[in-house]
Amino acid sequence: MSTFAPMAAALALLALAGTDALARTIEAPERGTVRAVLIGIDLYRNVPPLHGAVADAEDLSLSLRSLGVEDMTLLKNGAADRQGIFDAIGAVTDRAGEGDLVVLGIAGHGSSEPERVKGSKPSGRDEVYVLAGFDTRLPGSRERIFGDEFKVLIHKLEEKGAEVLFIADTCHAGGMTRNVDPRGAEITWRQAPSYTIEEDDLAPISTTSDALSTGFDYQRLTFLAAVDDHTKSPEISIPGIAEKRGALSYATARAFEGAADRNGDGTVTRRELFEYVRQSVYQFTDQRQNIFTQSSPGADLDHAIVYAYDTAGPAEAQTSNVPQPPPEPAPITVAALGSEPVLQGIDSAVTPFNLTDGAHAELVFDPQKREAIAGGDVVASEVGGGDMPFVVDRMAALDTLKRLSEINPQTVRVTPSDKVHRDGERVGVTVSDLAGRKLVLFDVTGDGTVQFLYPGDREADAEMSGTFDLDLSVVAPFGTDLLVAVSSDQPMPGLVEFLKQNDRRRTAGNIARHLGELLPEGARVGFTVLYTSAGARL
């Protein structure tokens, strides 16, 4: 928990997006043809398997097909070998023409190797995309593609006059924002274990010039990569979806379906795409992943259009941008460490839960340390068995927020970082892109307590400037604070009254059940989590 200093002045949503998409088609910025080559690899011969990369490629394919894209190549698992990928991209390059948009997406394992062209990479290492048949010996060592080789393929598409959107849902290096608590469920990462090539006769199609190229050498490229240099790419659970997924691919598919078109003008600029995907990935991964974006230097992000929509058709077919209340949540699976049945006979508060073994639990209770663990993080401390129903409600509230923010996220971030913050540290939370809007802020602590933060009576009718900052001090009890920002172009008296009635009560379950009912049309919902722990400041 944190004390707050004075303030400084998807299933339902998937259905919504899908309904909207049926009424329109996607177009290239210059109204050319949209084409796509999408790659997903889960099954590897010599590398640990993934669980959601094929689903990512399929999701992107379905989204684009629902928007009228017909030139579609989908390569999965063993079909996505080196030659198959080069052939597929070469074929779409032959078909591409001036004003087209070519979407290239790859989901799977990444890695890195010592740079082939000395001095070409700041890190001294080349990015590598690891394919299904990869091995450190021949012939499997041929089954990898260097990042510089994709540069060659993108250059050829640009030479044809095509725009390129490259979605790289892999991980090549980087650290972790927070260590993963081993008491929770295992997390799979899209970074292959380190290796040393023992036999290699691969002759990359890239040249020294390609290795030394920079963003200035690309004029028509929009690049989305799963991670920056400081984070790794986990496979995550999306509320309402059974299989694990990659957050970048999932968010980009929703962006295609219309979620990134914040101002509703029928076009998606680079800024709209980057900001939507960045905040969505940040939230869906519990702040473990920050994406990397790139476009040609000097490009006007507010006017550079990535794709547009042909909105011809009956107006009534369009849906409004209203976040819908989520369906009744499925029971959350809970386990307790140790042999004692410490959770037997404890009833749920609002959200149902089922007891299971630790390997399959979404929430784990450690009675000895009096901690609750979810997603690799300690979410609540100083809790007993009787507190766990309220921690379950907090998890349900988080799932609800992920669903509600999927369509129109409000940008909100912890500063200076998303690490675990220690007792006594001062940290901040910044809510941005607020000009002319109304703002409501509240917190859900790890033990399920709701805290209404803003606005007070004096600020009830205030319109915001561009950003709003919170000044926070970390104090016990530790674990998490789920900080939620809701903005709208109109007052939200119903939401304010609802939060006042829940203020300082362990009613996170009410947030899970009723928040969606209280959001006005066009509301933006965003959240961030402050992770805290006892111990001296580092």
Side-chain angles (χ1 to χ4, degrees), residues 359-404:
H360 300 93
E362 299 167 83
L363 178 64
V364 174
F365 173 50
D366 186 336
Q368 184 175 1
K369 292 189 176 182
R370 295 177 58 81
E371 292 177 335
I373 304 97
D377 290 299
V378 174
V379 297
S381 62
E382 297 301 318
V383 290
D387 297 306
M388 291 305 293
F390 303 104
V391 183
V392 167
D393 283 347
R394 180 262 183 203
M395 289 192 63
L398 178 59
D399 282 355
T400 293
L401 289 164
K402 287 180 177 180
R403 287 191 176 103
L404 292 175

Side-chain angles (χ1 to χ4, degrees), residues 249-260:
S249 296
Y250 183 83
T252 307
R254 308 291 78 77
F256 285 146
E257 294 169 347

Side-chain angles (χ1 to χ4, degrees), residues 226-237:
V227 291
D228 58 17
D229 292 335
H230 307 291
T231 57
K232 293 176 66 174
S233 178
E235 293 198 302
I236 60 165
S237 295

